[in-house]
Amino acid sequence: MEINEKNIKLWSSIGPRATFGLSMIEMVKKYKDLLILTCDVSTSAGLDRFRKQYPENYLDLGIAEQNLIGVATGLASENFRVVTTTFAPFQVIRCCEQIKVNLGYMKEKITMVGLASGLVLGNLGFTHCCIEDIGILRSIPNIKIISPSDSLETIKAIEASINDDSSCYVRLTGGTNNPIVNNMDYDFKIGKGILLREGKDIAIFAAGACVSDCIKVANELIKENIDCAVINMHTIKPIDEEIIIRFTKNIKLIVTIEEHNTIGGLGSAVSEVLSKVKNTPQQLTLGVKNEYSKSGSYNFLKNYNRLVPDKIIEDIKKKLNE
């Protein structure tokens, strides 16, 4: 797809889900063997145009997510490039055994796209919110996990995943009017974090829609002479150990921020790396509380879980003053 300022603004306005659908129309022109399998989510995934224009490359399994993984791996075994997609809790949690056996154990290769992960569907409650997907998939061998920071990175992550040798899970967070983190073309590599801002006091590692908020946090804290590095950790598995270890020296605090349970996600992955290194700074792990709270809007749930800039700043300053 052509990456320019106009398209980046368009993708930002329509959000990662619709951007995914648009990108598939371009990718199927490049990859003739590309197949997309869904579970009755063509509209939700922005795939209506794709379904109409490329019916031979599109298969709807209905609301039968476990069958989705079985059929997808069968097609993958016949050398098709297969992308599956439905809402994140149904893509991952409902299909956990099928993912374990077909992708982890048998090492078949597909790309899974989890729609609306995190808290964006908060009005539908925690049947549709997904705060467990990273934790589940991190424990299954042979699966890579990517959480794009914005709509442009969504496109790059999906294409990289299609071409990767391993099965990949691309976790889409945030909604429409998705803030732009990447405002120009750049080199995206699975497993390589991206330093967005240098800093000498604090290192903030973030994934998904939280990345844009972390840039705001860093811009506010510098006014109080607290200098924050911001690292876009778009890949949670395999984690970029090199960039984490780089920020264990002469840093006062390491912070991880994610729209996922504080157990099992990016924070846990970073702490596992830190446990291998002597004399590391303290880690502050910010994310969704380990509970199923009452439902509410996206903004309500982000506020409740202290995943908004003003509350992130409060928590960082409190930790620094301990």
Side-chain angles (χ1 to χ4, degrees), residues 36-51:
I36 299 181
L37 278 61
T38 71
C39 288
D40 197 26
V41 295
S42 64
T43 300
S44 300
L47 288 166
D48 278 338
R49 287 172 58 190
F50 183 97
R51 174 175 58 84

Side-chain angles (χ1 to χ4, degrees), residues 9-60:
K9 288 180 178 178
L10 168 65
W11 300 330
S12 170
S13 67
I14 64 177
R17 276 198 272 162
T19 299
F20 159 62
L22 279 180
S23 70
M24 291 298 98
I25 293 173
E26 298 303 316
M27 287 190 201
V28 75
K29 297 173 184 176
K30 185 175 181 181
Y31 306 111
K32 305 298 184 182
D33 56 349
L34 176 65
L35 299 178
I36 299 181
L37 278 61
T38 71
C39 288
D40 197 26
V41 295
S42 64
T43 300
S44 300
L47 288 166
D48 278 338
R49 287 172 58 190
F50 183 97
R51 174 175 58 84
K52 293 171 183 176
Q53 292 180 31
Y54 299 97
E56 293 184 358
N57 297 81
Y58 183 88
L59 181 61
D60 194 324

Side-chain angles (χ1 to χ4, degrees), residues 106-263:
M106 295 172 62
K107 300 182 182 179
E108 294 291 354
K109 186 269 182 301
I110 68 171
T111 296
M112 299 176 287
V113 179
L115 304 176
S117 193
L119 301 171
V120 71
L121 294 183
N123 283 322
L124 298 177
F126 276 86
T127 55
H128 285 65
C129 291
C130 196
I131 62 169
E132 317 88 351
D133 46 351
I134 297 173
I136 290 169
L137 292 181
R138 280 187 67 228
S139 63
I140 298 178
N142 304 313
I143 297 175
K144 296 177 180 176
I145 305 169
I146 307 168
S147 184
S149 61
D150 65 5
S151 294
L152 170 57
E153 194 158 77
T154 294
I155 294 170
K156 286 185 168 288
I158 291 170
E159 183 163 22
S161 299
I162 289 171
N163 288 304
D164 198 83
D165 291 335
S166 300
S167 283
C168 298
Y169 173 59
V170 182
R171 180 183 201 254
L172 303 187
T173 55
T176 55
N177 298 313
N178 197 243
I180 296 171
V181 173
N182 307 283
N183 57 12
M184 62 184 70
D185 201 356
Y186 67 103
D187 187 23
F188 177 93
K189 291 183 180 178
I190 294 175
K192 288 295 180 184
I194 300 172
L195 179 61
L196 299 176
R197 188 185 189 282
E198 289 280 6
K200 64 180 187 300
D201 297 319
I202 296 172
I204 302 176
F205 295 89
C210 290
V211 174
S212 62
D213 284 332
C214 293
I215 295 170
K216 294 176 185 176
V217 166
N219 290 338
E220 287 300 313
L221 285 174
I222 194 63
K223 297 175 184 177
E224 302 182 43
N225 294 318
I226 301 172
D227 194 8
C228 298
V230 177
I231 301 95
N232 171 15
M233 293 296 280
H234 52 69
T235 305
I236 294 102
K237 181 185 176 185
I239 198 78
D240 186 349
E241 295 194 8
E242 182 180 346
I243 199 167
I244 296 170
I245 293 170
R246 171 184 166 185
F247 283 99
T248 59
K249 301 174 179 65
N250 304 316
I251 285 282
K252 299 174 184 176
L253 181 66
I254 288 176
V255 182
T256 59
I257 304 178
E258 60 191 314
E259 218 171 290
H260 184 275
N261 194 324
T262 52
I263 298 171

